[in-house]
Amino acid sequence: MGLIQALRGTRDILPDEIRYWQWVESVVRTIFDRATYQEVRTPIFEQTALFERSIGEATDIVGKEMYTFKDRGDRSITLRPEGTAGVVRAFIEHSLAAQGSVQRLWYGGPMFRYERPQAGRYRQFHQIGVEVLGSPSPRADVEVIALFNDILQNLGFKTLELNLNSIGTLSDRQRYREALISYLTPYKQELDADSQDRLTRNPLRILDSKDERTQIILKEAPNILEHLSPDSQARFDQVQQLLNDLGISYVINTRLVRGLDYYTHTVFEIVSADLGAQATVGAGGRYDGLVSELGGPDTPAVGWAIGLERLILLLQQLQALPHPTIDFYLVSRGSRAEAQSLVIAQTLRQQGFTVEMDLSGSAFGKQFKRADRSGAAACLILGDEEAASQTVQLKWLTTGEQEAIAQTDLPSVANKLREQIHRLRANH
Ligand code: HAM
């Protein structure tokens, strides 16, 4: 592998793409602010045991996907494969529960999983996520789902589908697990190899199998919703009712069980038909047992995470983002003019204009060509004559109109120029 090549499963986000990221980031920030969610930033690596305990030893993530290494002090360290475990660790460590009220937190950043890379699946990828800690109410479940929905709507999505299920309490799941094992055991030899392996270790995950034969066998398999206690069933009904009240549509998918062990009750995924194999844009659910499992006070919680690479792949298909606009392109030639152009650029930027300064020192003709290509509203020209008279030629690039302005007048005509640029853009 060449030295000048990013590692497999990692990628550079270049300027053309970063605009989408910044747009998404600004949309989610506004939505989180309105719903009083506060940002937390936790470390990118944590003790390996934290992830083993939260995500679960029998999961794919812990079993085969973690970036785990010994540091120089011989501690086992893991690059975070997801954000929930770190947020819960911070919640316990800083006694955020003691502050009484519900904690509404959000986070974003890189996550790491050693998976087989393909479109929409990377080894370093990015999530934005929310965690609401301290409320058992179905309204909390629906609040976070509604936030997800708001984000998608604000970004212009219409066709994403919300898949919803309930996996009940630990004891509901225990009963279901037994029912599933006794149904599947007679078919053991016909299941795909992964599913055979999961039959004793993590049977619920068999419901996720993409294997055709396994899928056929699963058609008649017991349904998790029929194994919920009356309380869990009532809770799930409430979640659905509240979603209906908000007009958020969803599909019940009884096969949806999620790949992390900490979930209880509500689980959900948002999928798109336009993403191929890696169709899940984001996912989450309730995890009422995790905080106490990690040694904190009994704290019900619910959250989700969006995979940003997948979201942005979809956004790029959906719409082209305009390039950032430039107000002035500064052309200059000759040493005095070049020195003055630097001062002018600075003055105009301080007035709030976007200014690109040509640094080439090449012939005027070449600089003008670049000015045209830049998409700037106007070109500012400084040659020897302007330098001597301390003026600048301002040329509107759409009309070709040109006027001379004294350099010292630039701050006082700034508002007039701003209006002209504004009008020009409005006409286009
Ligand atoms: P997750 O389903 O493992 O859940 O990941 C959430 C999202 O991250 C996925 O739906 C997907 O969009 C994205 N993602 C996962 N792996 C990759 C990858 N290798 N490449 C690109 N994108 C990926 C969680 O991580 C939970 N912590 C969500 C949660 C928060 N549940 C409760 N609170």
Side-chain angles (χ1 to χ4, degrees), residues 17-209:
E17 186 185 330
I18 206 79
R19 292 180 290 128
Y20 287 89
W21 289 73
Q22 291 169 341
W23 179 38
V24 171
E25 284 156 11
S26 72
V27 166
V28 299
R29 228 173 258 274
T30 307
I31 288 171
F32 290 151
D33 282 348
R34 287 180 188 156
T36 68
Y37 282 63
Q38 291 182 293
E39 185 180 0
V40 284
R41 299 188 188 183
T42 66
I44 281 172
F45 54 82
E46 302 262 3
Q47 281 180 58
T48 302
L50 175 70
F51 300 116
E52 290 171 344
R53 278 291 280 284
S54 6
I55 300 167
E57 306 265 1
T59 61
D60 283 353
I61 297 180
V62 170
K64 45 191 182 194
E65 296 171 0
M66 294 209 300
Y67 276 90
T68 297
F69 57 95
K70 284 276 172 73
D71 74 1
R72 288 174 192 273
D74 211 32
R75 304 169 191 91
S76 182
I77 303 288
T78 295
L79 300 184
R80 62 181 184 193
E82 57 103 52
T84 309
V87 169
V88 169
R89 198 251 326 119
F91 174 86
I92 300 171
E93 183 170 346
H94 304 289
S95 308
L96 296 185
Q99 300 181 8
S101 63
V102 171
Q103 295 285 317
R104 291 182 165 90
L105 305 172
W106 74 271
Y107 56 88
M111 309 289 160
F112 305 85
R113 295 183 194 176
Y114 193 82
E115 293 193 79
R116 198 169 49 75
Q118 61 184 77
R121 189 163 74 193
Y122 309 96
R123 290 178 175 169
Q124 174 173 337
F125 61 98
H126 298 77
Q127 288 183 344
I128 281 181
V130 299
E131 313 294 352
V132 174
L133 297 123
S135 171
S137 168
R139 278 192 297 160
D141 308 30
V142 175
E143 177 174 290
V144 298
I145 293 175
L147 276 181
F148 201 137
N149 202 54
D150 279 349
I151 291 171
L152 297 176
Q153 274 189 359
N154 274 267
L155 293 171
F157 287 110
K158 293 191 182 67
T159 57
L160 297 175
E161 186 181 285
L162 170 62
N163 280 289
L164 187 70
N165 195 19
S166 172
I167 55 172
T169 60
L170 202 60
S171 64
D172 295 340
R173 217 150 50 249
Q174 203 56 42
R175 275 200 310 278
Y176 178 62
R177 191 187 143 104
E178 280 157 26
L180 192 61
I181 293 178
S182 53
Y183 169 80
L184 287 172
T185 303
Y187 298 105
K188 183 167 183 190
Q189 298 315 317
E190 294 160 61
L191 297 173
D192 59 283
D194 260 355
S195 297
Q196 290 190 18
D197 188 44
R198 283 176 169 150
L199 193 53
T200 46
R201 279 193 318 121
N202 200 353
L204 266 62
R205 289 292 287 170
I206 297 176
L207 299 175
D208 265 355
S209 170

Side-chain angles (χ1 to χ4, degrees), residues 348-396:
L348 289 171
R349 287 171 186 158
Q350 284 165 356
Q351 296 286 334
F353 293 105
T354 311
V355 181
E356 180 171 348
M357 178 172 55
D358 196 306
L359 286 171
S360 68
S362 53
F364 273 123
K366 282 193 174 162
Q367 296 195 44
F368 288 143
K369 277 212 182 94
R370 277 196 289 270
D372 277 331
R373 276 201 304 266
S374 75
C379 180
L380 293 172
I381 308 153
L382 273 121
D384 293 335
E385 249 173 66
E386 287 77 20
S389 60
Q390 306 260 310
T391 57
V392 59
Q393 291 290 330
L394 184 149
K395 182 180 175 188
W396 295 101

